[in-house]
Amino acid sequence: MDKALSRPAVVSRVSDLIGHTPLLEVCRTDTGSRLLLKLEQFNPTGTAKIRMARQMVLDAEERGLLRPGGRIVESTSGNTGLGLAVIAAERGYTFTAVVDHHAAADKLRGMKALGTELVYVAEDGDEELATAAREEFAEKLAAESDNAYFTEQHNNPANGDGYRPVAHELDAALDGRIDILIGAVGTGGGLFGTGGELRKTVPGVRIVGVEPKGSIAFGPPAHDYYQSGTGTPEGATIGAMVDYDLLDEGAKVGDVEAFATARVLARRIGLLIGGSAGGVVYEALTRMSSLPPGTTMVALVNDGGEKYMDTVFNDDWMNARHLIDPAVEREIDELLTKLRGN
Ligand SMILES: Cc1ncc(COP(=O)(O)O)c(C=O)c1O
């Protein structure tokens, strides 16, 4: 494995800026255990997902499934779409994103700005998550078009492969000293792509998945949730990248706790993270006090908070959906104080 991971001082494509994202130590306990956040919002488009978007396109080209001038089709909650939009622009493809209004408005606006054709499967004003309908529509659209390729992120091994470099970056930065990897599980590409590769050099690393309460990958009950881009809603197929053999533990975090964590972190340490990352960090923080001394836990932060100003960081939106609980925010604030010692 290349320990001297670095990027040239000058690059010529936006996609050359993918990766080499920083690690931020959020807390170190008096027993020497620490929580590090892998800040994937430092990638172009502000999310980890451009890593897999590039990999899916390169893989399709290599296998002759996407020819010059072709059209990429994907069902997306937005972050995969932003990544595909950049890669399509760079490589001369058109990109059609099949979306619903559950997606963050800024992700939809971002894709549009990058030249994406947006196709909605739900009525305007309908906030329902429409994952299954989106996927069905995207598949049909690609099948009916000439030289079109449905990247099918939930079922495409290139999704997981796109995250192998995350494992290399972590291994190089921490010199293999990583005990727990914790991350959100949607398609499963991010956590299991990283975790599977990391296990090759750090065989003892524990892999902990986090999904929203209401999501079904770690069991019932199913119900609606507001965390965007993550989880598997009822009616959708659990992603092929969700590798239960690699998983040591699957945890569920509610919207209230996930969003409260994102909001408290912003105020306390000046870091904006997205709602799904809020869930991951909540789960990580609650585990800190019971870890063996000297444990290093790395939490994968899928995206930054900037795309959620209309939702997670908007009190009116949050109150209208009964998602603010001051007692939960206080509890997280106190936990941070205890773990950080300030
Ligand atoms: C904000 C956000 N969090 C979490 C995830 C889940 O990542 P993965 O699909 O790699 O499991 C995604 C994926 O789209 C996402 O956009």
Side-chain angles (χ1 to χ4, degrees), residues 49 79-80 107 163 184-190 228-230 276 302-303 308:
K49 301 226 60 162
N79 276 337
T80 300
K107 296 181 189 169
Y163 294 99
V185 176
T187 65
S228 163
T230 187
S276 72
N302 192 292
D303 66 2
Y308 305 96

Side-chain angles (χ1 to χ4, degrees), residues 13-32:
R13 287 178 304 198
V14 169
S15 63
D16 295 331
L17 298 169
I18 294 172
H20 311 285
T21 54
L23 284 166
L24 179 74
E25 184 179 283
V26 172
C27 58
R28 183 189 281 266
T29 66
D30 42 19
T31 62

